[in-house]
């Protein structure tokens, strides 16, 4: 990361069930940041649950909500932004997040993801006869997009607290690098 970046926030991206919400809350209290969740912001705006948006208006409408919300996130400061699992499949969304946040992708194997989501029923994309196959297919399809994140973190072998500490560490490191990069540029201009 050598170009000039503003790192006001941390955006957590990654597949459903990788721990974005839980790690996000732990991280927010560790850094004393605010926490927002793009799915919640969409539900407030639409006045209905994500599953109802998918059922009544379709996935394309849901993705439009996501794009709108992402634009508005640029104004945020000192915020942990937990994103819906498909949000960064649109490269415009990834680029926008990177303009104000360190983007951290949480990662887990399809098996670990299945263990975490199997007793939950609120995810429309997994309401299919073979959700495990869907997880494997979607994860493979999205992997190249998730790999565009600044930091990739496997949450499978880490406790919530360890994962949050690791993200906080990476964030401090990135900010330090950023300020030393700025200093070396200003002294080069002097
Ligand atoms: C989605 C993930 C969900 C939610 C929606 C679509 C996806 O968010 O945005 O159901 O495309 O992977 P979580 O990743 O928070 O479950």
């Amino acid at each position: 990361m050598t170009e000039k970046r503003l790192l006001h926030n941390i955006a957590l991206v990654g597949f459903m069930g990788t721990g974005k919400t839980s790690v996000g809350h732990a991280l927010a209290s560790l850094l004393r940041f605010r926490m927002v969740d793009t799915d919640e912001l969409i539900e407030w705006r639409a006045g209905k649950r994500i599953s109802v948006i998918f059922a009544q208006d379709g996935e394309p409408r849901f993705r439009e909500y996501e794009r709108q919300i992402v634009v508005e996130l640029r104004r945020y400061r000192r915020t942990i932004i937990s994103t819906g699992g498909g949000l960064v499949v649109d490269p415009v969304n990834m680029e926008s997040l990177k303009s104000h946040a360190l983007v951290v992708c949480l990662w887990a194997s399809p098996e670990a993801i299945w263990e975490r989501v199997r007793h939950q029923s609120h995810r429309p994309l997994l309401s299919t006869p073979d959700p495990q196959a869907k997880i494997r297919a979607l994860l493979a399809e999205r992997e190249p997009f998730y790999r565009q994140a600044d930091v990739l973190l496997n949450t499978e072998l880490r406790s919530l607290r360890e994962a949050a500490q690791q993200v906080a560490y990476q964030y401090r490191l990135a900010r330090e690098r950023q300020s030393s990069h700025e200093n070396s540029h200003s002294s080069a201009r002097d």
Side-chain angles (χ1 to χ4, degrees):
M1 218 173 30
T2 49
E3 77 278 29
K4 170 122 181 64
R5 289 270 303 272
L6 297 170
L7 299 174
H8 298 303
N9 307 305
I10 300 176
L12 297 178
V13 308
F15 204 76
M16 304 172 243
T18 51
K20 291 165 294 182
T21 309
S22 337
V23 172
H25 282 295
L27 191 55
S29 71
L30 200 64
L31 295 176
R32 297 176 194 277
F33 274 26
R34 188 161 72 109
M35 154 103 181
V36 296
D37 180 310
T38 58
D39 283 345
E40 276 177 17
L41 295 174
I42 291 171
E43 289 185 337
W44 283 330
R45 175 144 317 165
K48 44 191 168 188
R49 314 296 306 208
I50 302 292
S51 53
V52 179
I53 303 176
F54 268 73
Q56 290 181 348
D57 313 318
E59 185 175 347
R61 178 73 188 108
F62 172 74
R63 300 298 171 197
E64 264 173 47
Y65 276 120
E66 279 190 326
R67 281 192 288 274
Q68 273 174 18
I69 297 287
V70 165
V71 170
E72 294 166 22
L73 293 172
R74 288 189 195 149
R75 298 196 305 264
Y76 286 47
R77 297 291 179 268
R78 293 177 63 82
T79 303
I80 307 299
I81 301 161
S82 171
T83 64
L87 186 138
V88 293
V89 169
D90 182 338
V92 175
N93 288 343
M94 177 65 100
E95 198 187 336
S96 180
L97 290 176
K98 283 189 172 179
S99 71
H100 58 85
L102 181 76
V103 179
V104 177
C105 178
L106 303 186
W107 186 261
S109 66
E111 295 73 29
I113 290 171
W114 171 242
E115 277 312 309
R116 289 183 191 162
V117 302
R118 60 188 298 176
H119 300 300
Q120 302 170 346
S121 59
H122 63 280
R123 293 183 173 96
L125 290 178
L126 300 183
S127 312
T128 71
D130 189 352
Q132 280 180 280
K134 184 74 185 250
I135 290 172
R136 277 194 300 274
L138 265 183
L139 197 58
E141 189 183 307
R142 292 177 176 179
E143 185 174 344
F145 301 101
Y146 292 144
R147 287 198 177 278
Q148 303 300 314
D150 297 307
V151 176
L152 282 166
L153 187 77
N154 193 320
T155 55
E156 238 170 286
L157 303 171
R158 291 181 165 93
S159 68
L160 211 61
R161 196 182 141 84
E162 282 167 345
Q165 283 171 337
Q166 186 54 232
V167 178
Y169 171 73
Q170 294 290 340
Y171 181 61
R172 286 194 191 107
L173 210 64
R175 285 187 57 118
E176 274 166 27
R177 277 201 205 118
Q178 196 62 63
S179 59
S180 62
H181 174 68
E182 277 162 21
N183 289 342
S184 68
H185 272 244
S186 66
S187 51
R189 280 196 302 268
D190 290 343

